Amino acid sequence: MRLSDICSRLNIPCSTHDREITGLNTLKDATESEISFLENRKYVSQLSQTKAAAVFVTEAMAPDVPEDVAALVVEEPYLTLAQASAFFAPPRLAEEGPEPVVGEGSRIESGVFLAKGCVIGKECHLMPGVFVGNDVTIGDNTVLYPNVSVYRDCIIGSDCIVHAGAVIGSDGFGFATTKTGTHVKIWQNGNVVIEDDVEIGANTTIDRAAFGSTVVKRGARIDNLVQVGHNCVIGEYSVIVSQVGLAGSSVLGRNVVMGGQSATAGHLSIAPFTTIAARGAAVKDVKTPGIYSGAPLMEHRQWLRLQGIFAKMLRK
Amino acid sequence: MRLSDICSRLNIPCSTHDREITGLNTLKDATESEISFLENRKYVSQLSQTKAAAVFVTEAMAPDVPEDVAALVVEEPYLTLAQASAFFAPPRLAEEGPEPVVGEGSRIESGVFLAKGCVIGKECHLMPGVFVGNDVTIGDNTVLYPNVSVYRDCIIGSDCIVHAGAVIGSDGFGFATTKTGTHVKIWQNGNVVIEDDVEIGANTTIDRAAFGSTVVKRGARIDNLVQVGHNCVIGEYSVIVSQVGLAGSSVLGRNVVMGGQSATAGHLSIAPFTTIAARGAAVKDVKTPGIYSGAPLMEHRQWLRLQGIFAKMLRK
Amino acid sequence: MRLSDICSRLNIPCSTHDREITGLNTLKDATESEISFLENRKYVSQLSQTKAAAVFVTEAMAPDVPEDVAALVVEEPYLTLAQASAFFAPPRLAEEGPEPVVGEGSRIESGVFLAKGCVIGKECHLMPGVFVGNDVTIGDNTVLYPNVSVYRDCIIGSDCIVHAGAVIGSDGFGFATTKTGTHVKIWQNGNVVIEDDVEIGANTTIDRAAFGSTVVKRGARIDNLVQVGHNCVIGEYSVIVSQVGLAGSSVLGRNVVMGGQSATAGHLSIAPFTTIAARGAAVKDVKTPGIYSGAPLMEHRQWLRLQGIFAKMLRK
């Protein structure tokens, strides 16, 4: 889609930098054919580094946009982003496209739905009620138990096991809120990438990225009823126990362990080899590997001390 | 069903106010063709206002029943209510009834089950594995992703998106416990009403009402793995983040925001424009809009102070 | 499989006690045709009592193995157990076996998958999208709502109701971690047994046992989105409210009540007639019935006092 068409559909001043636009992305990750946005002054320094073709900005921030990037001045950049996201949403379930490809030795049970363009590797087993969306790719020797749903464009590696009812690639929870309190959907045009040797529990949900990918790296183990928000990255061999909630853009290093019902707030990093005890809640980066507990999170031994202090209070 | 038949099936004294009875309801909401109940003395003042045809009451409370209402004296009114609820349960999946109606431009994929009496609007998309029960009504331009289950009698508006694996209209968690500790199911004969422009996350569950409706109002956004108990009301444009649990009969005003893993106890109200932080737990009404945190819930700034006090204790 | 074959496949010294082996089990529960393991010194006293045919042990613990039990000396017994567990995993979905048997009066809706060897009782109702695995047994008058998945070998009693999207018998979360931080799956070769008159909520997950059975006893009521880990036992008439998480091998007595979002750590017991309030977290055995709150759990009245102390601190 031409940049000029996008501006015209959004009813904003036409840019002089007209070119073909393929999608939206963050300032950091946008390529020369993508549009980005900046609403929060805090990130203004990222403007000078961006490779984006164009950026939705407020009038106040427009002067900071580099010369070779089109400044698209709007009142509420995030809201405009939401409106523009709809232009790039692929069809929910395309009836056109290449016939599904199924590798040798794979078993596709009755009641499985394979959408056009999907590619299933060798020796896979897709059980009844499984849905595989357009252009999904699945490696070899992977098992999808009954009633698993894999949304379009997602990638699942080899030697994976996905338990019944899990949902891979549902929309991330994204919207822009207007001044009157209504919400405009940010279409989630990214995907989910699950690497090899990953096991995913029953009824777990892994949301697709707004832009780019939500990633579960090689060897990770995810239990039942876990929520993985959009754009999360789960490190190699991490262990995520049941009912954990990872808010959007949480980045876990390798071999992170998260106990049952623990959680992360969004946009933070957890150091490799960190253990977060059951019910713990990370609200900022964890930079030093160790064992942490509590909500908000603290070093586990501090948390134990705190419980000791409480116990002493109760003995008085 | 005649009141006299109900009494006879329950083996309780026959009423003099015989008439046709269509269902059960609370004292407050019962119509002249419904039976209600009173077990807890606390609500005895509601007796005088009720429009119910009849009320299950204990002998002690019988004198407080207005003259034009039949007092059905039983030992354990709540237990009798449970027993009576079975009489009004509609068939789980009726094979008789009008053929499903599907509006122009709607796509019903293979593997969708449409029960008799359901009505699907225009330009909808029902993806594989979707179940739509008897007499369900769905508006225009609504999407049900794969393996969504919508129980009978529920109503979903226009422009809604329901993600994979979500369950709309499952039975609320209701039963009466006998003196010996066994449980008698209270059949959940109400429904769920989802208004227009609502998005519901993957594997979220919204229970049908015991009587009346569980309601999700216009423009609400509900994330993945959220539990909405029976008879809840979620206000317009409210935002319910992943893994929130709303206990039965929670009433949220408009634009309430509930952070991840937060919760409400049952039978309480949250003021419009209130924010409950992640992991917060409302155990009583929130009457003043604001930001609240903690379990039990307090003003967010108080919660911050409390964390400061704890941190100080640990530095000693 | 002969013990000698197992040793040979695992590349460990061949035992002198060769015999037919039918599976793996704990020291306590292993029969004379099963292999067990011991890694943790803490349980060394169980060695003298075991009936197991053979035990994976470290060299240091080998002398404690009784004479009539084969000591299979390995470096990491738990890891070897994981490797051996794969030998006993039954086929995921066997195409051979007796035709499914469906009792009189049962309704099997379209889109239901019945695997070979399953037996459905009388007057049951299996709704669209239900999956029933090999050799599953279901009693009379039991209802499975749409898109329920029941993995192979599970047993569901009579008069049960399982709501939409629930998963019965998914793999427990079990693996042995190697010195380099990778994980080896412990195949979950047990099953789930659900006794009569049990109701299970929508999208709840109940994991199969590693060995033996995960058990939900007669009359229990389980709400939506609950996680029941492998080898748990839920007592008669217990009430498990939404979003509760029971870690593996939690044993609940009869009439235990667990409030919303509460949890147990693994390998502990909760006394009959105990109530754990919403959000409570049991981290050790509860030996005395009562009402408990908090994380970690304490007597409810102590928890109330603690909240009072906090409130007082905030008033200063």
Side-chain angles (χ1 to χ4, degrees):
Chain A
M1 193 178 305
R2 301 298 292 177
L3 181 52
S4 52
D5 292 336
I6 293 168
C7 292
S8 144
R9 287 172 72 175
L10 292 169
N11 227 342
I12 61 179
C14 210
S15 164
T16 53
H17 297 62
D18 203 14
R19 67 172 87 175
E20 193 64 23
I21 298 296
T22 58
L24 307 172
N25 215 328
T26 58
L27 281 174
K28 199 168 143 274
D29 293 330
T31 68
E32 288 164 20
S33 67
E34 292 176 319
I35 305 179
S36 192
F37 72 105
L38 179 66
E39 177 142 342
N40 190 332
R41 269 245 151 251
K42 196 167 79 175
Y43 301 108
V44 76
S45 67
Q46 294 185 7
L47 261 183
S48 62
Q49 304 293 324
T50 194
K51 295 198 175 68
V55 184
F56 297 123
V57 282
T58 57
E59 197 156 11
M61 289 187 269
D64 295 313
V65 176
E67 250 189 37
D68 54 339
V69 176
L72 307 175
V73 175
V74 296
E75 215 176 313
E76 300 173 83
Y78 195 60
L79 183 58
T80 306
L81 177 87
Q83 289 157 344
S85 69
F87 307 160
F88 299 97
R92 198 177 302 112
L93 181 53
E95 289 170 325
E96 308 289 300
E99 286 301 314
V101 175
V102 177
E104 208 179 339
S106 283
R107 285 171 65 184
I108 310 295
E109 304 291 344
S110 68
V112 169
F113 187 101
L114 298 181
K116 291 290 163 63
C118 75
V119 178
I120 315 293
K122 297 175 195 163
E123 305 289 342
C124 288
H125 192 181
L126 274 57
M127 293 179 75
V130 164
F131 170 84
V132 178
N134 294 121
D135 301 332
V136 165
T137 302
I138 297 178
D140 299 335
N141 198 33
T142 280
V143 178
L144 306 188
Y145 274 95
N147 297 319
V148 164
S149 302
V150 185
Y151 282 49
R152 63 166 304 143
D153 300 321
C154 293
I155 298 171
I156 301 180
S158 294
D159 303 309
C160 292
I161 300 172
V162 183
H163 284 285
V167 177
I168 313 293
S170 40
D171 284 356
F173 198 55
F175 46 82
T177 301
T178 65
K179 287 170 180 168
T180 59
T182 66
H183 309 297
V184 177
K185 182 175 176 71
I186 296 176
W187 292 79
Q188 305 288 304
N189 299 328
N191 72 347
V192 174
V193 176
I194 293 172
E195 298 184 356
D196 298 343
D197 181 28
V198 168
E199 185 161 353
I200 292 172
N203 285 343
T204 277
T205 58
I206 303 182
D207 278 350
R208 70 195 304 107
F211 335 107
S213 298
T214 303
V215 181
V216 181
K217 293 197 176 169
R218 167 188 288 270
R221 295 289 182 268
I222 301 179
D223 200 354
N224 300 343
L225 294 170
V226 168
Q227 154 72 356
V228 180
H230 51 178
N231 294 83
C232 283
V233 178
I234 296 182
E236 293 87 350
Y237 303 103
S238 285
V239 171
I240 314 292
V241 180
S242 179
Q243 296 179 324
V244 163
L246 302 181
S249 301
S250 300
V251 178
L252 278 55
R254 68 164 290 180
N255 283 89
V256 165
V257 176
M258 295 197 60
Q261 298 185 341
S262 66
T264 59
H267 297 272
L268 53 72
S269 293
I270 307 292
F273 298 97
T274 295
T275 292
I276 295 179
R279 208 58 88 65
V283 296
K284 53 185 184 180
D285 288 352
V286 173
K287 292 179 179 168
T288 313
I291 303 177
Y292 297 85
S293 293
L297 210 61
M298 59 190 82
E299 285 180 33
H300 183 60
R301 64 195 172 85
Q302 289 290 74
W303 183 83
L304 288 173
R305 276 186 61 212
L306 191 59
Q307 303 314 313
I309 292 169
F310 294 164
K312 207 167 156 185
M313 286 173 172
L314 286 170
R315 278 196 299 272
K316 273 181 190 159
Chain B
M1 194 179 305
R2 300 297 292 178
L3 182 52
S4 52
D5 292 335
I6 293 169
C7 292
S8 144
R9 287 174 71 176
L10 292 170
N11 227 340
I12 60 179
C14 211
S15 163
T16 53
H17 297 60
D18 203 15
R19 65 172 89 175
E20 194 62 23
I21 298 296
T22 58
L24 306 172
N25 215 328
T26 58
L27 282 173
K28 198 167 143 277
D29 293 330
T31 67
E32 288 163 21
S33 67
E34 291 177 320
I35 305 180
S36 192
F37 71 104
L38 178 66
E39 176 142 344
N40 191 332
R41 267 245 152 254
K42 195 167 80 175
Y43 301 109
V44 75
S45 66
Q46 293 186 8
L47 261 183
S48 62
Q49 305 293 324
T50 194
K51 293 198 176 70
V55 184
F56 297 123
V57 281
T58 57
E59 196 157 9
M61 290 188 269
D64 294 313
V65 177
E67 249 188 40
D68 54 340
V69 177
L72 307 176
V73 175
V74 295
E75 213 176 315
E76 300 174 84
Y78 196 60
L79 182 58
T80 305
L81 177 88
Q83 289 157 343
S85 69
F87 307 160
F88 298 98
R92 197 177 303 110
L93 181 53
E95 289 170 325
E96 309 289 299
E99 286 301 315
V101 175
V102 176
E104 208 178 341
S106 283
R107 285 172 66 185
I108 310 296
E109 303 291 344
S110 69
V112 169
F113 187 100
L114 298 182
K116 293 288 164 62
C118 75
V119 178
I120 315 292
K122 296 177 195 162
E123 305 290 341
C124 288
H125 193 181
L126 275 56
M127 293 181 73
V130 163
F131 170 83
V132 178
N134 294 121
D135 300 332
V136 164
T137 302
I138 297 177
D140 298 336
N141 198 35
T142 281
V143 178
L144 307 188
Y145 274 95
N147 297 320
V148 164
S149 302
V150 185
Y151 282 48
R152 63 166 305 144
D153 300 321
C154 292
I155 298 171
I156 300 179
S158 294
D159 304 308
C160 292
I161 300 173
V162 183
H163 285 286
V167 176
I168 312 292
S170 41
D171 284 355
F173 197 54
F175 46 82
T177 300
T178 66
K179 287 169 180 170
T180 59
T182 67
H183 308 298
V184 177
K185 182 176 176 70
I186 297 176
W187 292 80
Q188 306 287 304
N189 300 328
N191 71 346
V192 173
V193 175
I194 293 171
E195 297 185 355
D196 297 344
D197 180 28
V198 168
E199 185 160 353
I200 292 171
N203 285 343
T204 277
T205 58
I206 303 183
D207 278 348
R208 68 195 306 108
F211 335 108
S213 298
T214 302
V215 182
V216 181
K217 293 197 176 169
R218 169 188 286 271
R221 296 289 182 270
I222 301 179
D223 201 352
N224 300 344
L225 294 170
V226 168
Q227 153 72 356
V228 180
H230 51 179
N231 293 82
C232 283
V233 178
I234 296 181
E236 291 87 349
Y237 303 102
S238 285
V239 171
I240 314 291
V241 180
S242 179
Q243 297 178 322
V244 163
L246 302 181
S249 301
S250 300
V251 178
L252 278 56
R254 69 165 290 179
N255 284 89
V256 165
V257 176
M258 294 196 61
Q261 299 185 340
S262 65
T264 58
H267 297 271
L268 53 71
S269 294
I270 307 292
F273 298 98
T274 295
T275 292
I276 295 179
R279 209 55 88 68
V283 294
K284 52 185 186 180
D285 288 353
V286 173
K287 293 181 177 165
T288 314
I291 304 177
Y292 297 86
S293 293
L297 209 61
M298 59 190 84
E299 284 180 35
H300 183 62
R301 65 195 172 83
Q302 290 288 76
W303 182 84
L304 288 174
R305 275 188 61 214
L306 190 59
Q307 303 313 313
I309 291 169
F310 294 161
K312 207 168 158 185
M313 285 174 175
L314 285 170
R315 278 195 299 271
K316 274 182 190 156
Chain C
M1 195 177 306
R2 299 297 293 176
L3 180 52
S4 51
D5 292 338
I6 293 168
C7 291
S8 144
R9 289 173 71 176
L10 292 169
N11 226 341
I12 60 178
C14 208
S15 164
T16 54
H17 299 60
D18 202 17
R19 64 173 89 175
E20 194 62 24
I21 298 295
T22 57
L24 307 172
N25 215 328
T26 58
L27 281 174
K28 198 168 143 274
D29 293 330
T31 67
E32 288 163 22
S33 68
E34 291 177 319
I35 306 180
S36 192
F37 72 104
L38 178 66
E39 177 143 343
N40 191 332
R41 268 245 151 252
K42 195 167 80 177
Y43 301 110
V44 76
S45 66
Q46 293 186 9
L47 261 184
S48 62
Q49 305 293 323
T50 193
K51 295 198 177 69
V55 184
F56 297 123
V57 282
T58 58
E59 197 158 9
M61 289 188 271
D64 294 313
V65 175
E67 251 188 39
D68 54 337
V69 176
L72 307 174
V73 175
V74 296
E75 215 177 312
E76 300 174 83
Y78 196 59
L79 183 57
T80 306
L81 177 87
Q83 288 157 345
S85 69
F87 306 160
F88 299 99
R92 199 177 300 113
L93 181 54
E95 289 171 325
E96 307 290 300
E99 286 302 314
V101 175
V102 177
E104 207 179 342
S106 282
R107 285 172 65 184
I108 310 296
E109 303 291 345
S110 68
V112 170
F113 187 99
L114 298 182
K116 292 288 164 61
C118 75
V119 178
I120 314 292
K122 297 177 195 163
E123 305 289 342
C124 287
H125 194 182
L126 275 56
M127 294 180 72
V130 164
F131 170 83
V132 178
N134 293 122
D135 301 332
V136 164
T137 302
I138 297 179
D140 299 335
N141 198 34
T142 280
V143 178
L144 306 188
Y145 274 95
N147 296 320
V148 165
S149 302
V150 184
Y151 282 47
R152 61 167 305 145
D153 300 322
C154 293
I155 297 171
I156 301 180
S158 294
D159 303 310
C160 291
I161 300 173
V162 183
H163 285 286
V167 177
I168 312 293
S170 40
D171 283 355
F173 197 54
F175 45 83
T177 301
T178 66
K179 286 169 181 170
T180 60
T182 66
H183 309 297
V184 177
K185 181 176 177 72
I186 297 176
W187 292 80
Q188 306 287 305
N189 299 328
N191 72 347
V192 173
V193 176
I194 293 172
E195 297 185 354
D196 299 343
D197 180 28
V198 168
E199 185 159 354
I200 292 171
N203 286 343
T204 278
T205 58
I206 303 183
D207 278 349
R208 69 196 304 107
F211 335 108
S213 298
T214 303
V215 181
V216 181
K217 294 197 175 171
R218 168 188 288 272
R221 295 289 182 270
I222 301 179
D223 201 353
N224 299 344
L225 294 170
V226 168
Q227 154 71 356
V228 180
H230 51 178
N231 294 83
C232 284
V233 178
I234 297 183
E236 293 86 348
Y237 303 103
S238 285
V239 171
I240 314 292
V241 179
S242 179
Q243 296 178 324
V244 163
L246 302 182
S249 301
S250 300
V251 178
L252 278 55
R254 68 165 291 178
N255 283 89
V256 165
V257 176
M258 293 196 62
Q261 298 185 341
S262 65
T264 58
H267 297 272
L268 54 70
S269 294
I270 307 292
F273 298 98
T274 295
T275 291
I276 295 178
R279 209 58 85 70
V283 295
K284 52 184 185 180
D285 288 352
V286 173
K287 292 178 179 169
T288 314
I291 304 177
Y292 297 85
S293 292
L297 209 61
M298 58 190 84
E299 285 179 35
H300 183 62
R301 65 197 171 83
Q302 290 289 74
W303 183 84
L304 288 173
R305 276 187 59 214
L306 191 59
Q307 304 313 313
I309 292 170
F310 294 162
K312 207 168 157 186
M313 287 173 173
L314 286 170
R315 278 194 301 271
K316 276 181 189 156

